[in-house]
Amino acid sequence: MARVLTVEDDTDIQFVISFALKKAGHEVRMANDGLAAMDALAERLPDVVILDWMMPGLSGPEVCRRLREMPGGQNVAVLMLSAKSEQADVTQAFEAGVDDYMTKPFSPKDLATRVQDLLARVAGTHL
């Protein structure tokens, strides 16, 4: 079971993500905005962070940049889950340090699979 922090300001999307990941056996915590995400990250680093792009406080890319600067932050897998689908947006997210990018609307099953793939990749880099 992995620890997942989901940073999403839409409660309906939070519910879908939480349900899919709990069904896949993960422990899920929620943050409603970028500032709450930073508080949660300072409290305990998760294995995976799922970030929305457009949120109050700090944007998803800014949260990712700050996470990467934290001790141990390079070891956390980050998935950007956003309605922004232009190539420039995807490129900007990867430049901020995300490991994967997925657009909304999304399949909950695909999301759970992507999280599993990220966990496998991160585990592979720490052998």
Side-chain angles (χ1 to χ4, degrees):
M1 168 169 45
R3 293 183 317 272
V4 180
L5 173 63
T6 298
V7 189
E8 171 64 59
D9 59 338
D10 183 308
T11 56
D12 292 333
I13 296 173
Q14 280 183 2
F15 176 80
V16 171
I17 293 170
S18 179
F19 183 81
L21 295 179
K22 286 179 180 177
K23 185 176 176 185
H26 303 298
E27 174 190 317
V28 181
R29 288 189 310 159
M30 295 289 173
N32 293 321
D33 60 48
L35 296 173
M38 294 310 303
D39 289 342
L41 291 168
E43 183 181 309
R44 182 178 183 196
L45 287 179
D47 300 304
V48 178
V49 175
I50 299 174
L51 283 174
D52 185 16
W53 184 302
M54 299 174 285
M55 301 178 291
L58 299 172
S59 70
E62 183 58 28
V63 171
C64 187
R65 279 187 205 90
R66 292 182 184 196
L67 166 63
R68 295 302 188 210
E69 294 171 355
M70 296 172 74
Q74 290 294 326
N75 300 328
V76 177
V78 179
L79 170 69
M80 181 73 66
L81 180 62
S82 176
K84 294 172 81 70
S85 60
E86 297 294 322
Q87 186 57 48
D89 299 322
V90 175
T91 299
Q92 186 178 350
F94 279 104
E95 288 172 350
V98 304
D99 298 296
D100 199 357
Y101 195 98
M102 198 170 174
T103 57
K104 297 174 187 174
F106 63 97
S107 156
K109 184 176 180 180
D110 288 347
L111 177 66
T113 299
R114 294 272 190 108
V115 168
Q116 283 302 121
D117 289 348
L118 280 171
L119 287 166
R121 270 191 267 161
V122 170
T125 62
H126 298 291
L127 297 178

